[in-house]
Amino acid sequence: MPNDVASALEALDGELATRTEFHGGFPYNLLYEHQNLSRFLRYSLNNLGDPYVDGSYTIGTKKFEREVVAYFANLYKLRDPWGYVTACGTEGNYYGLWLGTRLFPDAPIVTSRDSHYSVGKAATISKSRVLYVESDSRGEIDYSDLRRVVYSVQGPLVINLNIGTTVTGAVDRVDRVCDFLEKTGRRFHLHCDGALGGLLEPYLNERSCLDFSQYPIGSLSVSGHKFIGAAMPCGVVIARRNTVLQIEQTVEYIGSVDTTIMGSRCGLSVLFIWQAIRQRNFADEARTCRENAKSLCNMLAPLGWEPLLNELSTTVVFGKPDDAFCRRWQLSTTNDRAHVVVMQNHTRPWLARFVEELGARRERRADATIERRRIERIAAGGC
Ligand SMILES: *Cc1c(COP(=O)(O)O)cnc(C)c1O
């Protein structure tokens, strides 16, 4: 690290520019134009507390925040919305699941094994039990195991569904799960974790299931720095206003707990999201990312990387390359798989270069696959 501040920052700038260019693994859109917002770095923007109460600290962006919430409410057909701009998708999950456990204090949280770790953490924080449901090989919740889990307990339930799992981008079927839950006659709070997929599903699915007017969805969370892209982590959570009011009364009765999970909240991230929803065409972007993901998949298949691309997703999963390659392209890996989440910054030339470099690694992958199959055959009692 250089001694003087200016050189240290200069060096960091250079490093970050390179790392941004060679980034493939995380679901972050790294392509956006928000330089014009730098003038707001002069202000201590803090949307302290409830977004609908202006409060006495007025250096903030709550008016813009309410527009952001209204935008998402409209996208997901939520007529009477409440919501706020969160610190990240994780906070949105905490909020949605917390809402559920406030409504139904002893209810377990039911979620698939492929859920993001923030769901388990939310359960720990709200001291709730988690009941994990099996998922299939593509990462989607197993509906018959969901039935088993639901019938294994009595009383109300808090359900989390994944609208795009972290590892394989699998989308749990909101329509199918709601249909089943309603037939059971059980009371439930349904939270949708749409960190990335919350902004793909409405554009890629002709009959979107993220529809509060059609399905009994209780809350929904998305990340702001994933599909939209922002200089800092952020997100949005929405819920039905009448549900939130129910909780608020309870809270007021107990004492002085606020409606949002955080007290001080970032007012700057609101502007990043607000500007994006005003200026961009998310539908076009989602379709382009999907087309590019298909193209990546088609390029990887003949090279022997056994790619998987789920419906309504841009996450291309394939066999894990060697460690040096994964580090260079910042691939996130689980067991013997790696993935590229195709985002707006992954242009066709970017993908072509990635595949070309990966192609050079083919031999190693082939060896690894043959070796793995041999071990599996031996384990299965084969030759
Ligand atoms: C990324 C992700 C989260 C967490 O979002 P953050 O914004 O990183 O906190 C939650 N759920 C899923 C499915 C995710 O992919």
Side-chain angles (χ1 to χ4, degrees):
M1 167 96 64
N3 261 337
D4 67 299
V5 171
S7 320
L9 295 178
E10 185 67 28
L12 177 64
D13 194 352
E15 246 175 63
L16 293 176
T18 311
R19 289 188 191 161
T20 297
E21 202 184 323
F22 291 93
H23 175 270
F26 291 81
Y28 306 154
N29 170 19
L30 304 180
L31 183 75
Y32 47 81
E33 192 45 62
H34 286 154
Q35 290 288 348
N36 64 315
L37 296 175
S38 64
R39 73 176 108 156
F40 295 102
L41 290 172
R42 292 180 292 135
Y43 303 108
S44 292
L45 301 176
N46 187 340
N47 292 5
L48 196 57
D50 192 294
Y52 298 89
V53 180
D54 282 330
S56 24
Y57 184 75
T58 55
I59 307 165
T61 55
K62 284 191 181 177
K63 218 189 304 174
F64 289 73
E65 183 176 19
R66 292 192 288 264
E67 272 203 13
V68 168
V69 173
Y71 172 87
F72 281 91
N74 183 53
L75 178 63
Y76 303 126
K77 302 193 173 62
L78 172 56
R79 304 270 178 263
D80 191 21
W82 191 90
Y84 69 98
V85 173
T86 59
C88 56
T90 296
E91 189 192 341
N93 283 349
Y94 286 0
Y95 182 81
L97 297 169
W98 177 74
L99 192 59
T101 56
R102 297 294 301 227
L103 278 174
F104 306 120
D106 297 319
I109 295 174
V110 177
T111 195
S112 91
R113 287 208 183 279
D114 273 54
S115 302
H116 189 260
Y117 58 89
S118 58
V119 175
K121 249 184 353 183
T124 309
I125 289 173
S126 63
K127 294 201 171 71
S128 302
R129 201 152 54 108
V130 193
L131 300 177
Y132 283 105
V133 177
E134 295 302 327
S135 35
D136 67 20
S137 62
R138 302 177 78 95
E140 188 173 336
I141 197 166
D142 178 327
Y143 303 94
S144 63
D145 199 50
L146 173 66
R147 186 177 301 266
R148 178 190 66 78
V149 168
V150 165
Y151 285 125
S152 73
V153 287
Q154 290 188 330
L157 303 157
V158 176
I159 313 264
N160 175 73
L161 291 184
N162 299 309
I163 310 305
T165 58
T166 309
V167 177
T168 60
V171 177
D172 297 338
R173 295 265 309 266
V174 172
D175 52 346
R176 219 171 140 175
V177 171
C178 286
D179 189 45
F180 161 63
L181 288 172
E182 288 188 317
K183 277 186 191 137
T184 65
R186 301 276 281 273
R187 291 194 301 159
F188 62 89
H189 176 82
L190 175 63
H191 175 72
C192 292
D193 175 4
L196 169 68
L199 279 162
L200 294 175
E201 200 272 356
Y203 306 117
L204 299 180
N205 194 355
E206 268 174 42
R207 307 180 71 191
S208 171
C209 288
L210 300 185
D211 182 337
F212 280 76
S213 71
Q214 206 183 338
Y215 302 106
I217 301 168
S219 51
L220 187 152
S221 159
V222 298
S223 295
H225 58 291
K226 290 191 172 174
F227 184 83
I228 296 175
M232 72 289 286
C234 52
V236 180
V237 67
I238 60 169
R240 295 177 191 269
R241 178 173 287 270
N242 61 2
T243 314
V244 174
L245 288 181
Q246 238 172 294
I247 302 305
E248 232 179 323
Q249 282 160 7
T250 326
V251 171
E252 277 172 6
Y253 176 73
I254 301 170
S256 62
V257 184
D258 205 358
T259 46
T260 55
I261 290 187
M262 300 298 170
S264 286
R265 298 186 303 107
C266 183
L268 191 59
S269 61
V270 168
L271 297 180
F272 283 73
I273 300 175
W274 181 85
Q275 179 161 275
I277 62 183
R278 279 299 190 94
Q279 294 184 334
R280 286 171 33 196
N281 184 332
F282 291 162
D284 278 356
E285 290 181 18
R287 284 191 285 261
T288 304
C289 290
R290 172 76 185 166
E291 286 308 309
N292 288 343
K294 280 186 191 162
S295 145
L296 175 61
C297 204
N298 291 338
M299 288 190 281
L300 291 181
L303 296 177
W305 291 92
E306 299 169 43
L308 165 84
L309 172 63
N310 272 314
E311 263 176 67
L312 310 175
S313 165
T314 68
T315 302
V316 180
V317 186
F318 48 92
K320 183 176 157 186
D322 58 278
D323 292 346
F325 185 89
C326 291
R327 264 198 311 278
R328 172 169 157 82
W329 294 90
Q330 298 163 69
L331 304 184
S332 49
T333 61
T334 26
N335 303 323
D336 61 346
R337 294 192 294 181
H339 67 216
V340 166
V341 186
V342 177
M343 303 299 294
Q344 291 89 330
N345 49 306
H346 297 135
T347 56
R348 293 289 174 119
W350 188 98
L351 294 171
R353 182 173 178 189
F354 176 83
V355 172
E356 193 184 306
E357 272 194 35
L358 190 59
R361 272 19 203 216
R362 183 168 20 173
E363 305 272 306
R364 270 189 234 189
R365 165 64 187 165
D367 291 351
T369 308
I370 292 162
E371 180 58 17
R372 181 163 51 81
R373 295 231 169 99
R374 196 178 67 83
I375 292 169
E376 280 168 6
R377 267 203 312 277
I378 293 169
C383 52

